[in-house]
Amino acid sequence: MNTAEKALVIIPTYNERENIVKISKKIFSLSYSIDLLIVDDNSPDGTGELADELARQAPERMYVLHRSVKDGLGRAYCCGFKWALEHGYEYICEMDADFSHDPEDLPKLIQLAKNSDLVLGTRYKGGIRVINWPLNRLILSIGAGKYVRIITGMPFSDPTGGFKCFRRNTLASIDLDAIRSNGYSFQIEMTHKIWRQGLKVTEHPITFTDRQNGTSKMSFRIVLEAVYRVWVLLFENGLRRRPIKK
Ligand SMILES: Nc1nc2c(ncn2[C@@H]2O[C@H](COP(=O)(O)OP(=O)(O)O)[C@@H](O)[C@H]2O)c(=O)[nH]1
Ligand SMILES: [Mg+2]
């Protein structure tokens, strides 16, 4: 494949041993050639070692970064983004390890990114496409989207979603060391930085299915961080609620 077309999916992992073999196989079976980068935070269940073993079986397709302690989704992704930029990838996707995001959607996200700076997988545009989530989690997630929109003006239906595709130049335009959010607000902050620059953001409908294996790392702290970080974004941007005009 032409290096200008190289695509990568980054999966942060913490205790995802039950998912990692299946998800890597699935990614490598897709029609579009997509490399895989796992960023593991020293998972006690041995996800990191298992990922190393899988990477040995898939040279030049699968890579693993190891961090010494659990340090949050945002920092794991930033570490992965820097690696992706250093290694010449043009399309850089985010995805959970737990099959909540369907790997079959990856080629479509990448295809849309050819005419866009960022593609967001959305669960809520044109209807609600979430399977097996408890009602309270669904209400929280939809409510978070409305909260973000009201406060920041950012008009996307699912700003906390974690199934996305960035163009290389989009990531390169962001100072990754200045990203301070770490939980779900990380997703909001990244999209906000891109949208505020006036870059092109495309939403693509996806169906989200609750995980069948392993446990969610969602916590009350992560929700509180998001509630507060959205206000920080508004104030940092001088209360402006629109993209900068180019
Ligand atoms: N490396 C790393 N991965 C994390 C961390 N927290 C969550 N993850 C991973 O990020 C993805 C999303 O987390 P998940 O628990 O599925 O959140 P949920 O889908 O919102 O319930 C999964 O692949 C997790 O294993 C973390 O602190 N470090
Ligand atoms: Mg998940």
Side-chain angles (χ1 to χ4, degrees):
M1 184 182 288
N2 180 344
T3 46
E5 294 290 305
K6 268 195 347 167
L8 178 74
V9 57
I10 304 175
I11 302 186
T13 56
Y14 192 74
N15 287 349
E16 299 287 1
R17 196 183 170 85
E18 293 155 279
N19 290 312
I20 193 149
V21 175
K22 233 170 103 186
I23 199 105
S24 58
K25 273 200 184 129
K26 183 76 212 177
I27 290 164
F28 297 140
S29 74
L30 295 172
S31 55
Y32 199 100
S33 170
I34 304 169
D35 294 348
L36 169 61
L37 175 67
I38 299 287
V39 186
D40 186 70
D41 280 9
N42 205 3
S43 297
D45 75 348
T47 303
E49 293 78 29
L50 183 55
D52 281 336
E53 207 178 302
L54 294 168
R56 276 193 290 276
Q57 293 162 24
E60 319 258 314
R61 290 293 311 269
M62 177 165 175
Y63 305 89
V64 188
L65 296 179
H66 297 274
R67 303 192 319 147
S68 56
V69 286
K70 182 170 183 336
D71 191 27
L73 179 90
R75 281 189 264 279
Y77 267 128
C78 285
C79 187
F81 291 154
K82 287 180 189 171
W83 186 94
L85 292 175
E86 281 162 18
H87 289 80
Y89 286 94
E90 178 59 40
Y91 302 100
I92 300 146
C93 303
E94 291 186 358
M95 191 171 81
D96 282 12
D98 54 12
F99 284 93
S100 284
H101 304 137
D102 183 352
E104 298 272 357
D105 289 332
L106 281 168
K108 184 70 189 172
L109 293 186
I110 293 168
Q111 189 205 325
L112 290 169
K114 295 188 177 187
N115 291 310
S116 207
D117 297 303
L118 167 66
V119 179
L120 301 176
T122 171
R123 295 166 280 193
Y124 307 125
K125 196 173 181 190
I128 298 171
R129 292 169 301 277
V130 174
I131 297 171
N132 283 345
W133 248 9
L135 189 62
N136 57 356
R137 184 101 204 243
L138 182 63
I139 291 170
L140 182 70
S141 175
I142 295 174
K146 296 198 186 308
Y147 177 79
V148 169
R149 187 179 197 144
I150 290 167
I151 294 170
T152 65
M154 190 165 73
F156 307 121
S157 51
D158 190 7
T160 58
F163 199 15
K164 304 176 164 184
C165 181
F166 300 87
R167 289 299 290 264
R168 170 185 189 79
N169 281 345
T170 309
L171 281 182
S173 73
I174 293 174
D175 178 2
L176 295 171
D177 293 321
I179 299 285
R180 275 173 293 149
S181 311
N182 210 2
Y184 297 107
S185 54
F186 164 76
Q187 303 295 2
I188 303 169
E189 183 170 352
M190 287 294 293
T191 300
H192 189 262
K193 291 227 161 8
I194 292 162
W195 170 73
R196 275 278 295 145
Q197 287 184 58
L199 294 176
K200 184 174 174 194
V201 181
T202 303
E203 289 186 284
H204 175 64
I206 55 148
T207 298
F208 178 100
T209 312
D210 194 17
R211 60 162 73 233
Q212 290 186 341
N213 296 305
T215 50
S216 170
K217 282 90 210 173
M218 163 76 158
S219 67
F220 184 59
R221 222 181 106 193
I222 285 178
V223 176
L224 274 190
E225 187 199 13
V227 168
Y228 140 86
R229 279 278 164 211
V230 170
W231 286 99
V232 175
L233 288 179
L234 180 67
F235 286 108
E236 272 179 356
N237 284 273
L239 302 181
R240 282 180 293 266
R241 297 173 71 260
R242 269 195 293 267
I244 293 160
K245 289 218 170 67
K246 291 236 159 172

mmCIF file of all heavy atoms in Angstrom, residues 12 41 67 69-79 179-190 217 221-223 225-226 228-229:
data_model
loop_
_atom_site.group_PDB
_atom_site.id
_atom_site.type_symbol
_atom_site.label_atom_id
_atom_site.label_comp_id
_atom_site.label_asym_id
_atom_site.label_seq_id
_atom_site.Cartn_x
_atom_site.Cartn_y
_atom_site.Cartn_z
ATOM 1 N N PRO A 12 -6.746 1.323 23.142
ATOM 2 C CA PRO A 12 -6.193 1.340 24.497
ATOM 3 C C PRO A 12 -6.763 0.150 25.264
ATOM 4 O O PRO A 12 -7.944 -0.174 25.096
ATOM 5 C CB PRO A 12 -6.700 2.660 25.075
ATOM 6 C CG PRO A 12 -7.920 2.986 24.295
ATOM 7 C CD PRO A 12 -7.866 2.272 22.989
ATOM 8 N N ASP A 41 -1.872 -0.494 29.652
ATOM 9 C CA ASP A 41 -1.379 0.134 30.888
ATOM 10 C C ASP A 41 -1.042 -0.918 31.940
ATOM 11 O O ASP A 41 -1.537 -0.876 33.063
ATOM 12 C CB ASP A 41 -2.434 1.108 31.438
ATOM 13 C CG ASP A 41 -2.416 2.433 30.704
ATOM 14 O OD1 ASP A 41 -1.724 2.533 29.674
ATOM 15 O OD2 ASP A 41 -3.102 3.376 31.148
ATOM 16 N N ARG A 67 2.661 0.924 28.947
ATOM 17 C CA ARG A 67 2.858 1.991 29.932
ATOM 18 C C ARG A 67 2.843 1.321 31.302
ATOM 19 O O ARG A 67 2.200 0.283 31.497
ATOM 20 C CB ARG A 67 1.767 3.039 29.793
ATOM 21 C CG ARG A 67 1.751 3.595 28.349
ATOM 22 C CD ARG A 67 0.910 4.820 28.162
ATOM 23 N NE ARG A 67 -0.328 4.748 28.877
ATOM 24 C CZ ARG A 67 -0.925 5.814 29.414
ATOM 25 N NH1 ARG A 67 -0.384 7.002 29.308
ATOM 26 N NH2 ARG A 67 -2.065 5.686 30.044
ATOM 27 N N VAL A 69 1.714 2.160 34.412
ATOM 28 C CA VAL A 69 0.553 2.133 35.319
ATOM 29 C C VAL A 69 -0.707 2.596 34.592
ATOM 30 O O VAL A 69 -0.631 3.265 33.558
ATOM 31 C CB VAL A 69 0.729 3.085 36.546
ATOM 32 C CG1 VAL A 69 1.703 2.526 37.554
ATOM 33 C CG2 VAL A 69 1.119 4.476 36.097
ATOM 34 N N LYS A 70 -1.847 2.255 35.168
ATOM 35 C CA LYS A 70 -3.115 2.712 34.594
ATOM 36 C C LYS A 70 -3.192 4.226 34.737
ATOM 37 O O LYS A 70 -3.190 4.745 35.849
ATOM 38 C CB LYS A 70 -4.300 2.055 35.315
ATOM 39 C CG LYS A 70 -5.639 2.442 34.728
ATOM 40 C CD LYS A 70 -6.765 1.604 35.298
ATOM 41 C CE LYS A 70 -8.143 1.890 34.701
ATOM 42 N NZ LYS A 70 -8.399 3.165 34.105
ATOM 43 N N ASP A 71 -3.245 4.910 33.595
ATOM 44 C CA ASP A 71 -3.114 6.357 33.640
ATOM 45 C C ASP A 71 -4.172 7.041 32.782
ATOM 46 O O ASP A 71 -4.020 8.192 32.383
ATOM 47 C CB ASP A 71 -1.696 6.719 33.170
ATOM 48 C CG ASP A 71 -1.354 8.167 33.432
ATOM 49 O OD1 ASP A 71 -1.929 8.747 34.371
ATOM 50 O OD2 ASP A 71 -0.534 8.725 32.686
ATOM 51 N N GLY A 72 -5.250 6.280 32.483
ATOM 52 C CA GLY A 72 -6.376 6.913 31.786
ATOM 53 C C GLY A 72 -6.317 6.791 30.278
ATOM 54 O O GLY A 72 -5.262 6.715 29.666
ATOM 55 N N LEU A 73 -7.539 6.804 29.733
ATOM 56 C CA LEU A 73 -7.739 6.645 28.294
ATOM 57 C C LEU A 73 -7.085 7.760 27.466
ATOM 58 O O LEU A 73 -6.459 7.512 26.441
ATOM 59 C CB LEU A 73 -9.257 6.661 28.084
ATOM 60 C CG LEU A 73 -9.811 6.531 26.711
ATOM 61 C CD1 LEU A 73 -10.015 5.051 26.422
ATOM 62 C CD2 LEU A 73 -11.135 7.255 26.600
ATOM 63 N N GLY A 74 -7.227 8.989 27.938
ATOM 64 C CA GLY A 74 -6.721 10.142 27.172
ATOM 65 C C GLY A 74 -5.217 10.069 26.988
ATOM 66 O O GLY A 74 -4.704 10.216 25.873
ATOM 67 N N ARG A 75 -4.505 9.820 28.072
ATOM 68 C CA ARG A 75 -3.046 9.770 27.962
ATOM 69 C C ARG A 75 -2.598 8.563 27.150
ATOM 70 O O ARG A 75 -1.602 8.626 26.419
ATOM 71 C CB ARG A 75 -2.399 9.811 29.340
ATOM 72 C CG ARG A 75 -2.378 11.242 29.876
ATOM 73 C CD ARG A 75 -1.563 11.378 31.131
ATOM 74 N NE ARG A 75 -2.388 11.305 32.322
ATOM 75 C CZ ARG A 75 -3.091 12.318 32.804
ATOM 76 N NH1 ARG A 75 -3.080 13.498 32.205
ATOM 77 N NH2 ARG A 75 -3.812 12.170 33.891
ATOM 78 N N ALA A 76 -3.344 7.461 27.252
ATOM 79 C CA ALA A 76 -2.997 6.284 26.436
ATOM 80 C C ALA A 76 -3.141 6.639 24.949
ATOM 81 O O ALA A 76 -2.261 6.347 24.133
ATOM 82 C CB ALA A 76 -3.906 5.101 26.803
ATOM 83 N N TYR A 77 -4.229 7.313 24.599
ATOM 84 C CA TYR A 77 -4.429 7.689 23.188
ATOM 85 C C TYR A 77 -3.355 8.672 22.716
ATOM 86 O O TYR A 77 -2.846 8.538 21.608
ATOM 87 C CB TYR A 77 -5.821 8.285 22.971
ATOM 88 C CG TYR A 77 -6.848 7.255 22.540
ATOM 89 C CD1 TYR A 77 -8.062 7.115 23.197
ATOM 90 C CD2 TYR A 77 -6.597 6.418 21.445
ATOM 91 C CE1 TYR A 77 -8.996 6.174 22.796
ATOM 92 C CE2 TYR A 77 -7.536 5.468 21.036
ATOM 93 C CZ TYR A 77 -8.727 5.356 21.721
ATOM 94 O OH TYR A 77 -9.641 4.418 21.308
ATOM 95 N N CYS A 78 -3.025 9.653 23.542
ATOM 96 C CA CYS A 78 -2.013 10.643 23.100
ATOM 97 C C CYS A 78 -0.687 9.947 22.828
ATOM 98 O O CYS A 78 0.010 10.270 21.852
ATOM 99 C CB CYS A 78 -1.862 11.752 24.141
ATOM 100 S SG CYS A 78 -3.267 12.873 24.086
ATOM 101 N N CYS A 79 -0.361 8.977 23.661
ATOM 102 C CA CYS A 79 0.859 8.198 23.455
ATOM 103 C C CYS A 79 0.769 7.457 22.097
ATOM 104 O O CYS A 79 1.712 7.465 21.297
ATOM 105 C CB CYS A 79 0.885 7.229 24.638
ATOM 106 S SG CYS A 79 2.296 6.258 24.840
ATOM 107 N N ILE A 179 -3.201 18.531 26.009
ATOM 108 C CA ILE A 179 -4.526 17.938 26.263
ATOM 109 C C ILE A 179 -4.571 17.492 27.720
ATOM 110 O O ILE A 179 -3.744 16.690 28.153
ATOM 111 C CB ILE A 179 -4.771 16.716 25.339
ATOM 112 C CG1 ILE A 179 -4.745 17.132 23.871
ATOM 113 C CG2 ILE A 179 -6.072 15.992 25.694
ATOM 114 C CD1 ILE A 179 -5.961 17.869 23.382
ATOM 115 N N ARG A 180 -5.518 18.023 28.462
ATOM 116 C CA ARG A 180 -5.511 17.711 29.892
ATOM 117 C C ARG A 180 -6.602 16.736 30.310
ATOM 118 O O ARG A 180 -6.526 16.111 31.353
ATOM 119 C CB ARG A 180 -5.580 18.993 30.716
ATOM 120 C CG ARG A 180 -4.164 19.555 30.896
ATOM 121 C CD ARG A 180 -4.159 20.891 31.551
ATOM 122 N NE ARG A 180 -4.759 21.901 30.697
ATOM 123 C CZ ARG A 180 -5.410 22.956 31.137
ATOM 124 N NH1 ARG A 180 -5.571 23.147 32.415
ATOM 125 N NH2 ARG A 180 -5.903 23.843 30.295
ATOM 126 N N SER A 181 -7.648 16.589 29.478
ATOM 127 C CA SER A 181 -8.705 15.647 29.828
ATOM 128 C C SER A 181 -8.196 14.222 29.714
ATOM 129 O O SER A 181 -7.340 13.932 28.893
ATOM 130 C CB SER A 181 -9.865 15.747 28.852
ATOM 131 O OG SER A 181 -10.269 17.044 28.666
ATOM 132 N N ASN A 182 -8.820 13.361 30.476
ATOM 133 C CA ASN A 182 -8.309 11.991 30.454
ATOM 134 C C ASN A 182 -9.404 10.935 30.264
ATOM 135 O O ASN A 182 -9.186 9.911 29.638
ATOM 136 C CB ASN A 182 -7.533 11.732 31.744
ATOM 137 C CG ASN A 182 -6.434 10.722 31.516
ATOM 138 O OD1 ASN A 182 -6.240 10.253 30.399
ATOM 139 N ND2 ASN A 182 -5.726 10.366 32.557
ATOM 140 N N GLY A 183 -10.597 11.166 30.788
ATOM 141 C CA GLY A 183 -11.669 10.175 30.643
ATOM 142 C C GLY A 183 -12.462 10.434 29.376
ATOM 143 O O GLY A 183 -11.887 10.682 28.317
ATOM 144 N N TYR A 184 -13.795 10.450 29.471
ATOM 145 C CA TYR A 184 -14.619 10.703 28.277
ATOM 146 C C TYR A 184 -14.467 12.135 27.797
ATOM 147 O O TYR A 184 -14.664 12.433 26.624
ATOM 148 C CB TYR A 184 -16.084 10.388 28.564
ATOM 149 C CG TYR A 184 -16.232 8.934 28.879
ATOM 150 C CD1 TYR A 184 -16.485 8.500 30.158
ATOM 151 C CD2 TYR A 184 -16.028 7.997 27.879
ATOM 152 C CE1 TYR A 184 -16.541 7.166 30.455
ATOM 153 C CE2 TYR A 184 -16.075 6.661 28.171
ATOM 154 C CZ TYR A 184 -16.334 6.243 29.465
ATOM 155 O OH TYR A 184 -16.365 4.924 29.745
ATOM 156 N N SER A 185 -14.094 13.016 28.726
ATOM 157 C CA SER A 185 -13.910 14.407 28.309
ATOM 158 C C SER A 185 -12.732 14.538 27.346
ATOM 159 O O SER A 185 -12.635 15.520 26.617
ATOM 160 C CB SER A 185 -13.743 15.331 29.508
ATOM 161 O OG SER A 185 -12.724 14.869 30.329
ATOM 162 N N PHE A 186 -11.866 13.533 27.333
ATOM 163 C CA PHE A 186 -10.784 13.536 26.341
ATOM 164 C C PHE A 186 -11.377 13.561 24.930
ATOM 165 O O PHE A 186 -10.921 14.296 24.052
ATOM 166 C CB PHE A 186 -9.900 12.301 26.532
ATOM 167 C CG PHE A 186 -9.021 12.012 25.366
ATOM 168 C CD1 PHE A 186 -7.890 12.773 25.138
ATOM 169 C CD2 PHE A 186 -9.332 11.008 24.461
ATOM 170 C CE1 PHE A 186 -7.079 12.525 24.034
ATOM 171 C CE2 PHE A 186 -8.534 10.750 23.369
ATOM 172 C CZ PHE A 186 -7.406 11.517 23.147
ATOM 173 N N GLN A 187 -12.416 12.759 24.726
ATOM 174 C CA GLN A 187 -13.048 12.722 23.402
ATOM 175 C C GLN A 187 -13.651 14.086 23.069
ATOM 176 O O GLN A 187 -13.530 14.576 21.942
ATOM 177 C CB GLN A 187 -14.161 11.646 23.357
ATOM 178 C CG GLN A 187 -13.707 10.244 23.717
ATOM 179 C CD GLN A 187 -12.718 9.660 22.726
ATOM 180 O OE1 GLN A 187 -12.328 10.308 21.757
ATOM 181 N NE2 GLN A 187 -12.285 8.445 22.963
ATOM 182 N N ILE A 188 -14.269 14.696 24.051
ATOM 183 C CA ILE A 188 -14.888 16.015 23.832
ATOM 184 C C ILE A 188 -13.795 17.047 23.508
ATOM 185 O O ILE A 188 -13.910 17.821 22.559
ATOM 186 C CB ILE A 188 -15.666 16.470 25.090
ATOM 187 C CG1 ILE A 188 -16.736 15.442 25.476
ATOM 188 C CG2 ILE A 188 -16.285 17.858 24.879
ATOM 189 C CD1 ILE A 188 -17.359 15.677 26.858
ATOM 190 N N GLU A 189 -12.731 17.043 24.297
ATOM 191 C CA GLU A 189 -11.677 18.059 24.124
ATOM 192 C C GLU A 189 -11.002 17.940 22.749
ATOM 193 O O GLU A 189 -10.772 18.951 22.070
ATOM 194 C CB GLU A 189 -10.632 17.948 25.247
ATOM 195 C CG GLU A 189 -9.571 19.040 25.148
ATOM 196 C CD GLU A 189 -8.638 19.135 26.353
ATOM 197 O OE1 GLU A 189 -8.875 18.463 27.374
ATOM 198 O OE2 GLU A 189 -7.663 19.891 26.250
ATOM 199 N N MET A 190 -10.706 16.716 22.316
ATOM 200 C CA MET A 190 -10.057 16.540 21.006
ATOM 201 C C MET A 190 -10.957 17.078 19.891
ATOM 202 O O MET A 190 -10.519 17.826 19.021
ATOM 203 C CB MET A 190 -9.784 15.048 20.741
ATOM 204 C CG MET A 190 -8.667 14.449 21.550
ATOM 205 S SD MET A 190 -7.028 15.107 21.172
ATOM 206 C CE MET A 190 -6.740 14.517 19.517
ATOM 207 N N LYS A 217 -14.638 0.528 32.354
ATOM 208 C CA LYS A 217 -13.764 1.317 33.242
ATOM 209 C C LYS A 217 -14.383 2.678 33.548
ATOM 210 O O LYS A 217 -13.727 3.586 34.075
ATOM 211 C CB LYS A 217 -12.374 1.504 32.614
ATOM 212 C CG LYS A 217 -11.485 0.282 32.746
ATOM 213 C CD LYS A 217 -11.647 -0.651 31.583
ATOM 214 C CE LYS A 217 -11.403 -2.091 31.984
ATOM 215 N NZ LYS A 217 -11.725 -2.998 30.868
ATOM 216 N N ARG A 221 -15.928 9.469 38.781
ATOM 217 C CA ARG A 221 -14.875 10.477 38.595
ATOM 218 C C ARG A 221 -14.776 10.930 37.142
ATOM 219 O O ARG A 221 -14.591 12.102 36.838
ATOM 220 C CB ARG A 221 -13.535 9.865 39.038
ATOM 221 C CG ARG A 221 -12.715 10.840 39.824
ATOM 222 C CD ARG A 221 -11.399 10.221 40.220
ATOM 223 N NE ARG A 221 -10.342 10.797 39.410
ATOM 224 C CZ ARG A 221 -9.121 10.295 39.340
ATOM 225 N NH1 ARG A 221 -8.813 9.188 39.973
ATOM 226 N NH2 ARG A 221 -8.204 10.896 38.617
ATOM 227 N N ILE A 222 -14.922 9.955 36.245
ATOM 228 C CA ILE A 222 -14.840 10.257 34.809
ATOM 229 C C ILE A 222 -16.006 11.179 34.398
ATOM 230 O O ILE A 222 -15.826 12.114 33.622
ATOM 231 C CB ILE A 222 -14.828 8.930 33.997
ATOM 232 C CG1 ILE A 222 -13.444 8.278 34.137
ATOM 233 C CG2 ILE A 222 -15.198 9.157 32.541
ATOM 234 C CD1 ILE A 222 -13.286 6.939 33.441
ATOM 235 N N VAL A 223 -17.187 10.924 34.973
ATOM 236 C CA VAL A 223 -18.353 11.774 34.665
ATOM 237 C C VAL A 223 -18.114 13.188 35.199
ATOM 238 O O VAL A 223 -18.302 14.178 34.480
ATOM 239 C CB VAL A 223 -19.650 11.181 35.282
ATOM 240 C CG1 VAL A 223 -20.834 12.109 35.038
ATOM 241 C CG2 VAL A 223 -19.931 9.797 34.724
ATOM 242 N N GLU A 225 -15.318 14.670 35.781
ATOM 243 C CA GLU A 225 -14.276 15.329 34.989
ATOM 244 C C GLU A 225 -14.893 15.959 33.734
ATOM 245 O O GLU A 225 -14.581 17.095 33.374
ATOM 246 C CB GLU A 225 -13.174 14.326 34.593
ATOM 247 C CG GLU A 225 -11.986 15.012 33.911
ATOM 248 C CD GLU A 225 -11.084 14.088 33.098
ATOM 249 O OE1 GLU A 225 -11.472 12.926 32.829
ATOM 250 O OE2 GLU A 225 -9.999 14.546 32.706
ATOM 251 N N ALA A 226 -15.810 15.218 33.108
ATOM 252 C CA ALA A 226 -16.432 15.721 31.876
ATOM 253 C C ALA A 226 -17.306 16.940 32.167
ATOM 254 O O ALA A 226 -17.286 17.930 31.421
ATOM 255 C CB ALA A 226 -17.244 14.611 31.211
ATOM 256 N N TYR A 228 -16.983 19.169 34.379
ATOM 257 C CA TYR A 228 -16.185 20.349 34.681
ATOM 258 C C TYR A 228 -15.332 20.785 33.476
ATOM 259 O O TYR A 228 -15.218 21.956 33.166
ATOM 260 C CB TYR A 228 -15.396 20.011 35.949
ATOM 261 C CG TYR A 228 -13.974 20.482 36.028
ATOM 262 C CD1 TYR A 228 -13.685 21.765 36.493
ATOM 263 C CD2 TYR A 228 -12.924 19.633 35.695
ATOM 264 C CE1 TYR A 228 -12.363 22.182 36.593
ATOM 265 C CE2 TYR A 228 -11.612 20.053 35.802
ATOM 266 C CZ TYR A 228 -11.329 21.330 36.243
ATOM 267 O OH TYR A 228 -10.048 21.754 36.337
ATOM 268 N N ARG A 229 -14.808 19.807 32.761
ATOM 269 C CA ARG A 229 -13.916 20.127 31.638
ATOM 270 C C ARG A 229 -14.606 20.922 30.521
ATOM 271 O O ARG A 229 -13.991 21.726 29.835
ATOM 272 C CB ARG A 229 -13.366 18.840 31.018
ATOM 273 C CG ARG A 229 -12.214 18.265 31.774
ATOM 274 C CD ARG A 229 -10.926 18.960 31.405
ATOM 275 N NE ARG A 229 -9.922 18.648 32.392
ATOM 276 C CZ ARG A 229 -8.937 19.460 32.731
ATOM 277 N NH1 ARG A 229 -8.813 20.640 32.166
ATOM 278 N NH2 ARG A 229 -8.070 19.092 33.622
#
